[in-house]
Amino acid sequence: MADTVILVGFMGAGKSSVGRLLARRLGRCFVETDDMIVAREGCSISTIFAAHGEEYFRAAEAEAVRLLALKRGDVIATGGGLPCREGMPEALRELGTVVWLAGDLARLYARAQRAGERPMLAGRTWADVEALYRAREPFYRRADLTVDTSALGPDQVAARVALLLAERARGAGAAHTAGA
Ligand code: S3P
């Protein structure tokens, strides 16, 4: 059975666009935790934050991770804060292979500001965003694989992730054979 692939990383890392391309490459389904939450709550992420606050949203993320364990083999794009809570790196690793889409913070920030509403950036200064990133980075570092997206387009990142996954699968196969 194919392993689930979970993309993590800060806002603006390209998890959605890369995830969609990667799923197509691998012939898998693509799922976004944000979409699961929006469908379940029946309103936008911004509305959820405004009406119920961040903690409510984080609980909804934890519930989404629990539901994702019911099916294997998908490519999953997570929200930027999802892996950054106690217990979440372990929960994600139980689901499959965790891939960090890393990159230069200034670039990520510029991209995140261009695309979509992001309540975690609203009213924050650059210093706030740097502090948020610094607090989150140790969680992202716990991924199984890392791709530096800085100089790459989404299709190149998807290709790189696919290559690393194939190498990892070959390594696991070789270790299995050697241990047999
Ligand atoms: C968040 C990132 C968003 C979304 C929500 C909170 C965060 O997803 O889950 O606005 O805390 O970083 P993206 O990483 O796709 O922007």
Side-chain angles (χ1 to χ4, degrees), residues 11 15 34 45 49 57-58 61 78-81 118-120 136:
M11 292 168 275
K15 300 176 295 279
D34 278 359
I45 301 284
F49 268 78
F57 178 74
R58 299 302 168 201
E61 287 190 315
T78 59
R118 289 192 162 91
M120 291 300 290
R136 287 180 170 187

